């Protein structure tokens, strides 16, 4: 329960919770202790260790490419979840989530670990929230082949270029930042 990371990014108008982890306790109370802003949820991929508490948010951002895997992963770690496919607000590369005050989170698809894995990129701060997209544990149900994953990585890398910056911070899901 202690291996998964969650992130909260605040803008002027709202905050974005990225992934929910797997742990127990009062998840809503934890988030409310971190921000007083209204919160939305963005999920990097369907695995239960990234979205166990998704039903606390109602609608949430995630690629619909993940939906076919929901029954299998929910049975493994979220059997009582009230989350359904209808709760997904579909996202794709090129979409963005505006939190207000110039804080914009870009969506970049990096399928591999799962068919709809996404990362969330805060370009202004050079922070890339990767979930498990860059921490590959293949094979898992729904994972792409290594050659398919490689093709996506080649497409992903140029999108990370930030003018005037040499360094990016990769913030991964399993409490081990991707490097």
């Amino acid at each position: 329960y202690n291996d998964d990371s969650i992130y909260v990014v605040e803008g002027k108008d709202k905050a974005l919770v990225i992934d929910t982890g797997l742990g127990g306790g009062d998840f809503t109370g934890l988030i409310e202790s971190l921000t007083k802003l209204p919160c939305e949820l963005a999920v990097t991929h369907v695995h239960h260790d990234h979205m166990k508490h998704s039903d606390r948010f109602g609608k949430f951002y995630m690629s619909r490419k993940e939906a076919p895997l929901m029954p299998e992963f929910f049975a493994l770690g979220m059997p009582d979840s009230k989350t359904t496919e209808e709760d997904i607000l579909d996202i794709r590369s090129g979409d963005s989530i505006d939190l207000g005050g110039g804080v914009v989170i870009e969506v970049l698809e990096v399928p591999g670990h799962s068919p709809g894995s996404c990362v969330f990129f805060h370009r202004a701060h050079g922070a890339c929230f990767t979930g498990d997209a860059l921490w590959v544990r293949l094979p898992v149900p729904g994972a792409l082949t290594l050659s398919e994953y490689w093709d996506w990585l080649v497409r992903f890398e140029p999108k990370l270029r930030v003018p005037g910056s040499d360094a990016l911070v990769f913030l991964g899901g399993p409490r081990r930042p991707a490097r």
Side-chain angles (χ1 to χ4, degrees), residues 40-128:
E40 294 183 349
L41 174 63
V43 176
T44 57
H45 64 291
V46 76
H47 297 167
H48 58 276
D49 58 329
H50 293 267
M51 65 177 298
K52 179 179 180 181
H53 304 287
S54 58
D55 57 3
R56 306 267 168 59
F57 291 86
K59 302 282 186 191
F60 60 92
Y61 300 102
M62 185 174 78
S63 171
R64 281 205 185 269
K65 294 175 186 174
E66 299 289 281
L69 297 174
M70 288 172 71
E72 182 172 0
F73 282 98
F74 282 25
L76 288 172
M78 301 168 48
D80 299 326
S81 179
K82 293 173 182 49
T83 296
T84 69
E85 186 175 340
E86 289 75 38
D87 296 326
I88 299 171
L89 300 169
D90 192 29
I91 53 174
R92 302 268 187 234
S93 280
D95 290 346
S96 61
I97 303 167
D98 188 344
L99 304 179
V103 179
V104 177
I105 305 298
E106 297 175 45
V107 177
L108 300 171
E109 292 176 90
V110 189
H113 184 68
S114 67
S117 285
C118 290
V119 302
F120 301 100
F121 189 29
H122 188 337
R123 187 173 297 278
H125 285 105
C128 191

Side-chain angles (χ1 to χ4, degrees), residues 15-50:
L16 184 67
V17 177
I18 300 173
D19 287 345
T20 69
L22 182 62
D26 182 6
F27 185 80
T28 305
L30 171 65
I31 298 303
E32 289 172 351
S33 76
L34 298 173
T35 183
K36 299 303 177 204
L37 293 171
C39 292
E40 294 183 349
L41 174 63
V43 176
T44 57
H45 64 291
V46 76
H47 297 167
H48 58 276
D49 58 329
H50 293 267

